[in-house]
Amino acid sequence: MPRSTQTQLKKGVLELAILTLIDREELYGAALVGRLQDYPHLSAPSGTVYPLLSRLTANGLIDNRWEESTKGPPRKYYSLTDSGRTMLKQLHQDFLGLSTDMKSLLSEEEP
């Protein structure tokens, strides 16, 4: 698959993936990037993830707090707001519906 096509598909689900991971546990940016790498099709560079985290913060979907680190500079940890939890539920439902419809469409035989 050409990189640009894969990138467009990924953009549609990256917000859902990030909100899901942050809902499971508070994460700092580099840890979030690393966690996404555990899922090869969701892997994204920090240059993609950090602007998305800024947008999610500006939209009131996530909060952040600084915490000292024993292994270097302080880290900014992210957590979901109530609005973020609501958005996560909605995105999850939307994604499941789209996935079901696409699976059905792609499995149909052509006439």
Side-chain angles (χ1 to χ4, degrees), residues 2-69:
R3 182 52 99 195
S4 61
T5 304
Q6 186 180 26
T7 300
Q8 288 303 314
L9 287 171
K10 189 187 301 187
K11 281 183 181 180
V13 297
L14 197 54
E15 183 174 322
L16 173 58
I18 287 172
L19 290 174
T20 299
L21 289 171
I22 293 172
D23 186 46
R24 291 179 181 167
E25 67 178 304
E26 289 185 353
L27 293 167
Y28 59 96
L32 181 58
V33 170
R35 193 65 54 88
L36 288 169
Q37 290 176 353
D38 292 341
Y39 306 91
H41 294 287
L42 295 174
S43 180
S46 58
T48 298
V49 173
Y50 283 101
L52 184 50
L53 290 171
S54 293
R55 185 172 59 78
L56 293 171
T57 301
N59 290 338
L61 301 177
I62 60 175
D63 277 329
N64 60 68
R65 65 178 172 75
W66 288 97
E67 187 173 301
E68 291 297 323
S69 170

Side-chain angles (χ1 to χ4, degrees), residues 64-82:
N64 60 68
R65 65 178 172 75
W66 288 97
E67 187 173 301
E68 291 297 323
S69 170
T70 59
K71 298 179 181 178
R75 295 175 174 165
K76 188 187 287 189
Y77 281 81
Y78 296 92
S79 60
L80 289 188
T81 62
D82 289 340

Side-chain angles (χ1 to χ4, degrees), residues 82-98:
D82 289 340
S83 295
R85 283 185 194 81
T86 300
M87 176 62 78
L88 173 58
K89 287 177 187 174
Q90 184 62 54
L91 288 173
H92 185 184
Q93 290 173 351
D94 292 347
F95 181 80
L96 291 178
L98 286 168

